[in-house]
Amino acid sequence: MKKTKWGILGAAKIAREKVIPAMQGSNMHEITGIASRNAEKAAETAKSLQIPKHYGSYEALIEDPEIEVIYNPLPNDLHVSYTRKCIAAGKHVLCEKPLALRSEEILDLIKLRDQHKVKVGEAFMVASNPQWIKAKEIVNSGELGTLRCIHGFFSYHNVKPDNIRNIAENGGGGVWDIGCYPVFTSRFVLGKEPLRLSSLLDFDPNFGTDRLGSVLMEFPEKVQMTFSVSTQLMPYQRMIFYGDKKALEVRIPFNAPSDEHNELHLHHGDFLHHNVEIIRMPISNQYTQQGEDFSLAIREHKEVPVSLENAYHNTKVLEAIFQSDKEKRWVNLD
Ligand SMILES: NC(=O)c1ccc[n+]([C@@H]2O[C@H](COP(=O)([O-])OP(=O)(O)OC[C@H]3O[C@@H](n4cnc5c(N)ncnc54)[C@H](OP(=O)(O)O)[C@@H]3O)[C@@H](O)[C@H]2O)c1
């Protein structure tokens, strides 16, 4: 396969520390260039990561004919506008989650994508992670019996005022940053959209961003899903799928390590948790896998792992979480 040539918008932490090194470990693509608002920062980052080209503006990278695909890890409020510019320049785009802060904007991107005949996807690396592909397979095989309940939790502690997660104008807050994951993985495993939800959010009085949130959702076939997310608790994460026979626990569901085995725990059902089958996944890097799936979609004209249509439905759920808390009522999703 001819390597795809990627450009990176901004020297974001996630790009520098995770996505670029992981993608450089694959022979399916090359990281050809990186742009920063600051030319010096672009040059330094390119040098430290051995990236051949650097640009002092995002526009210069977008206009470079050598770049085929753009990874957009800008702050959340810039995802749609820059993805739009990239598509208009004829580039494929892998945009970080949450792809948009308003679902209607994704409908415009869909039109533009179809007009320019490019691939555009949301960077939910979990969709390419073998542990989630296995979890989906187990739940859908009926091994748990009838699935009736899902629990999720995701938290970290970050009170830095200059971090984009604590800046409301950048689309900060726990729901946009990490609430998107329990929503996405539940929809991914079930292959269905939730019917309605109710939520309770607590906002930081200084930042104005949500720092703790809990959500109750109903999926078809009376499956109940609850999750909590927080930006100001001890770091923890877990997803559990409960059937009437067994339960499946995804131990490190989101920040899955790339240097040790990820484990799924299949609980056969006893109160003392003695009867647990441990499924050890082969060591893999979810960011490498995500990049390879995206490059394959381009070269082999396949669907990207997380399409704009999928991103639209996820965003509708996240919007409903804010609406439910604000209006103190259940919100239907149809
Ligand atoms: N998939 C995952 O596992 C994962 C993990 C973490 C984060 N993310 C997502 O990745 C994105 C970036 O997160 P991050 O933690 O890496 O952020 P970050 O380190 O703050 O990087 C954001 C970058 O955006 C650029 N930028 C442009 N305008 C900016 C502005 N007004 N304020 C701040 N930065 C601006 C900056 O690059 P220059 O200064 O170089 O132009 C900055 O380095 C977010 O959308 C987040 O949700 C995904």
Side-chain angles (χ1 to χ4, degrees):
M1 188 183 104
K2 189 173 156 234
K3 285 184 180 182
T4 50
K5 292 187 156 223
W6 290 63
I8 315 292
L9 286 185
K13 188 169 188 276
I14 180 66
R16 286 183 282 108
E17 295 183 4
K18 301 278 184 200
V19 176
I20 296 173
M23 289 183 65
Q24 286 173 324
S26 165
N27 59 11
M28 289 171 69
H29 31 243
E30 68 176 46
I31 307 297
T32 307
I34 186 160
S36 171
R37 293 166 298 173
N38 175 321
E40 230 173 85
K41 188 175 165 191
E44 276 167 21
T45 311
K47 191 173 171 211
S48 69
L49 290 167
Q50 295 169 318
I51 298 172
K53 292 175 129 178
H54 51 88
Y55 317 75
S57 78
Y58 301 150
E59 282 68 20
L61 181 145
I62 295 169
E63 284 159 20
D64 183 344
E66 200 187 344
I67 302 289
E68 283 183 274
V69 200
I70 293 179
Y71 169 58
N72 177 356
L74 295 174
N76 298 344
D77 61 314
L78 297 179
H79 286 174
V80 169
S81 56
Y82 275 96
T83 294
R84 197 183 289 128
K85 286 184 190 184
C86 297
I87 301 174
K91 312 293 184 185
H92 307 288
V93 190
L94 175 63
C95 179
E96 265 306 338
K97 40 57 63 176
L99 192 135
L101 302 172
R102 287 177 354 110
S103 55
E104 310 95 89
E105 292 183 325
I106 302 181
L107 299 177
D108 293 338
L109 289 181
I110 290 174
K111 280 189 208 143
L112 202 62
R113 172 201 67 189
D114 293 346
Q115 198 182 324
H116 290 270
K117 299 189 176 20
V118 290
K119 302 283 182 190
V120 185
E122 187 170 25
F124 273 120
M125 70 300 182
V126 283
S128 297
N129 187 323
Q131 74 166 350
W132 275 108
I133 294 164
K134 183 75 180 169
K136 180 175 176 135
E137 187 188 302
I138 292 172
V139 170
N140 289 295
S141 73
E143 176 145 22
L144 309 184
T146 305
L147 182 82
R148 290 298 312 279
C149 189
I150 308 173
H151 281 163
F153 192 87
F154 195 2
S155 64
Y156 56 75
H157 200 281
N158 180 334
V159 288
K160 293 178 195 149
D162 59 349
N163 189 284
I164 54 171
R165 286 156 191 78
N166 296 322
I167 302 173
E169 303 76 54
N170 285 145
V175 169
W176 290 119
D177 191 43
I178 48 179
C180 57
Y181 284 109
V183 171
F184 178 80
T185 48
S186 301
R187 294 177 50 253
F188 175 78
V189 166
L190 297 182
K192 292 180 179 138
E193 300 303 330
L195 302 171
R196 60 181 184 141
L197 66 77
S198 178
S199 71
L200 179 64
L201 303 180
D202 175 48
F203 288 81
D204 183 288
N206 299 316
F207 302 144
T209 50
D210 53 296
R211 61 182 173 186
L212 173 64
S214 297
V215 180
L216 169 60
M217 297 200 276
E218 184 187 4
F219 277 87
E221 288 157 41
K222 296 188 185 292
V223 175
Q224 298 185 2
M225 195 270 168
T226 57
F227 74 88
S228 297
V229 286
S230 178
T231 59
Q232 294 183 21
L233 284 178
M234 41 70 77
Y236 191 83
Q237 52 188 272
R238 193 64 46 97
M239 287 288 291
I240 311 180
F241 297 78
Y242 302 89
D244 58 1
K245 293 200 177 75
K246 298 180 191 173
L248 182 72
E249 191 180 355
V250 185
R251 303 278 297 174
I252 310 182
F254 313 119
N255 297 113
S258 58
D259 54 356
E260 52 184 84
H261 293 276
N262 289 299
E263 289 182 354
L264 302 175
H265 285 195
L266 192 56
H267 294 260
H268 287 249
D270 69 303
F271 286 120
L272 299 178
H273 294 224
H274 287 153
N275 197 356
V276 180
E277 187 183 331
I278 297 176
I279 302 165
R280 293 183 95 204
M281 301 304 299
I283 288 180
S284 67
N285 184 320
Q286 57 187 348
Y287 299 103
T288 307
Q289 198 64 50
Q290 168 179 259
E292 291 189 345
D293 286 350
F294 204 87
S295 287
L296 262 183
I298 294 171
R299 287 288 179 261
E300 298 188 356
H301 309 288
K302 290 183 181 159
E303 183 56 279
V304 295
V306 184
S307 66
L308 285 179
E309 286 77 0
N310 193 337
Y312 173 76
H313 289 292
N314 219 63
T315 310
K316 290 289 277 185
V317 179
L318 302 179
E319 286 174 325
I321 291 172
F322 288 104
Q323 187 186 353
S324 170
D325 174 69
K326 195 170 170 196
E327 298 176 7
K328 297 186 173 32
R329 64 171 182 92
W330 283 88
V331 172
N332 289 323
L333 289 146
D334 34 36

